């Protein structure tokens, strides 16, 4: 039988329209804070259980080479949202309490890309990318620019990180529940001689500090930076996780009819680790692991909400972390003392602040019921690629001068058989030292411009140990980066050095 060409064309066209429509999944990116590769039971932890995240992994793809792009928070979040390595932009290191918005208004982001193709977009949780113009945040006025100026329709935020002042929520452009008669003041200097601090009132603290974190006291915990006022707006640390879940579920319910993108930016397990009372003591490892269990509960609540609304087959979940683990990050919460045999970075060396694998190789899971075939993937993927990959998949567009390092590795994210991840990947630390890790296949080059590496994590021995400017490791034989083979493979090292240099110098790696 002869079928008219026009009919075939029409059929093909309507099929492609239908499939493009169908392929616009909701996207929920859950970013843990300071979670290491070994911090979940599905990644080998045995001292406690993380059943919900394990379920996510069992129903999706669990990556063994999933990375964030930096070993501190601000540069990872910057590169995740913009698709550009943070080392390309100055001042993208850990943001202080009064940082202006690091991302200028109008910058294309993964959120603006999705918003442009009809998604509802929200960020709920820790921000830590600054708010406001050059003078910094206007805490009593409009906090602009912020997420709403580069692609999010809605935000409900902890403005910095919770060891930094102030302990208030920001909803869209405003501090929530702020009483104009009790204005919020935030500053670097002690506001008055008698202002209580972690130094002057140390004996009153419910959790002591170990380094830094000894300025204004709120909820029995002293913080980085000073503030006064805004009392009605202040939250209790113990309630953060519940609030993120409440606000997220509320927002998903409201937006369920249209595709949505939710960036769920958990504060767990960053310091001060103060889980809700019902999670305190649930593990033998202290508040650090209790916070992991709390985050696991949050993930479970999000999964249940998505199931209840019948959206599991329309929703791509991504679980990742913003940097590797740290034990003592400024508070005496017994993370190190109660660690036992737990290996927070799994088999990897280093953690937060480091360009060893432990700094950026973290848990990474994707789940999309009915689309993703469950399994484990060794492909190299990174948070920085979500922008480019999801754009390519949903038909979103990226301006030529945006997302300079974000690759389309959607096949790998979906665990498609034979789909490849990245060929290589640049890891950075907080950015100021100019230290890099460069993974290319199974080779790993470390470049230490500052000639020192910090590893405040598990192996205290490495702390501020001078390191050679370049080191080379074969991760297939030496995942722990213990055995520098640069003398044995000088030509491999030269090749990787040149590739890394080209990526840095050329200003972009996306073609
Ligand atoms: C460091 C803080 C640390 C933590 C980190 C940011 C001190 C001594 N250390 O400067 O406690 O807040 O910044 O962590 O103040 S991050 O995960 O948000 O990047
Ligand atoms: Ca972090």
């Amino acid at each position: 039988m002869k079928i008219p060409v026009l009919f075939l064309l029409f059929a093909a066209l309507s099929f492609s329209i239908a499939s493009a429509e169908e392929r616009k999944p909701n996207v929920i990116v859950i970013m843990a804070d300071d979670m290491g590769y070994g911090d979940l039971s599905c990644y080998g932890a045995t001292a406690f259980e993380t059943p919900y995240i394990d379920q996510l992994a069992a129903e999706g793809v669990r990556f063994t080479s999933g990375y964030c792009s930096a070993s501190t928070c601000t540069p990872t979040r910057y590169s995740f949202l913009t698709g550009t390595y943070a080392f390309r932009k100055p001042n993208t290191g850990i943001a202080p309490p009064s940082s202006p918005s690091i991302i200028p208004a109008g910058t294309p982001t993964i959120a603006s890309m999705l918003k442009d193709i009809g998604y509802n977009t929200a960020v709920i949780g820790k921000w830590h990318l600054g708010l406001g113009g050059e003078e910094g945040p206007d805490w009593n006025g409009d906090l602009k620019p912020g997420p709403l100026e580069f692609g999010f329709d809605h935000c409900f935020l902890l403005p910095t990180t919770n060891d930094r002042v102030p302990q208030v929520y920001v909803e869209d452009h405003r501090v929530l529940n702020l009483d104009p008669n009790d204005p919020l003041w935030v500053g670097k200097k002690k506001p008055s001689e008698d202002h209580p601090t972690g130094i002057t009132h140390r004996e009153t603290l419910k959790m002591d500090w170990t380094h830094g974190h000894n300025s204004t006291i709120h909820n029995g915990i002293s913080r980085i930076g000073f503030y006064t006022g805004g009392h009605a707006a202040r939250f209790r640390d113990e309630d953060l996780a519940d609030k993120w879940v409440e606000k997220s579920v509320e927002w998903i319910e409201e937006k369920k009819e249209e595709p949505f993108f939710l960036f769920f930016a958990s504060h767990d397990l960053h310091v001060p680790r103060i889980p809700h009372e019902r999670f305190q003591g649930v593990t033998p490892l202290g508040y650090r692991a209790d916070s992991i269990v709390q985050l696991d509960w949050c993930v479970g609540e999000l999964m249940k909400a998505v199931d209840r609304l019948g959206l599991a087959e329309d929703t791509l979940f991504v679980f990742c972390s913003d940097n590797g683990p740290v034990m003592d990050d400024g508070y005496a919460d017994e993370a190190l003392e109660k660690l036992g045999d737990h290996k927070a970075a799994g088999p990897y060396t280093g953690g937060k602040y480091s360009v060893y694998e432990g700094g950026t190789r973290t848990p990474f899971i994707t789940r999309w019921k009915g689309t993703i075939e469950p399994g484990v993937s060794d492909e190299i993927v990174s948070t920085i690629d979500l922008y480019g990959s999801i754009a390519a998949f949903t038909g979103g567009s990226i301006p030529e001068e945006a997302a300079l390092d974000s690759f389309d590795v959607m096949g790998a994210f979906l665990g498609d058989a034979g789909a490849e991840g990245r060929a290589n990947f640049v890891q950075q630390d907080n950015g100021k030292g100019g230290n890099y890790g460069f993974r290319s296949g199974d080779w790993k080059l470390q470049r230490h411009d500052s000639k020192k590496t910090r590893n405040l994590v598990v192996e205290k021995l490495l702390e501020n140990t001078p390191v050679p400017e370049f080191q080379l490791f074969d991760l297939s034989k030496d995942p722990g980066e213990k055995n520098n083979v640069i003398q044995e493979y000088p030509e491999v090292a030269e090749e990787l050095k040149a590739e890394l240099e080209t990526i840095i110098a050329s200003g972009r790696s996306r073609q």
Side-chain angles (χ1 to χ4, degrees), residues 33-34 72-74 94 126 128 161 163-164 211-213 224 270-271 322-323 329-330 352-353:
D33 199 342
D34 298 1
T72 57
C73 164
T74 305
I94 299 170
K126 160 168 162 172
H128 210 188
T161 126
D163 56 346
R164 270 145 236 261
H211 51 92
H213 305 91
I224 298 175
H270 196 284
V271 298
D322 72 335
N323 52 253
D329 208 15
K352 186 170 182 175
Y353 311 112

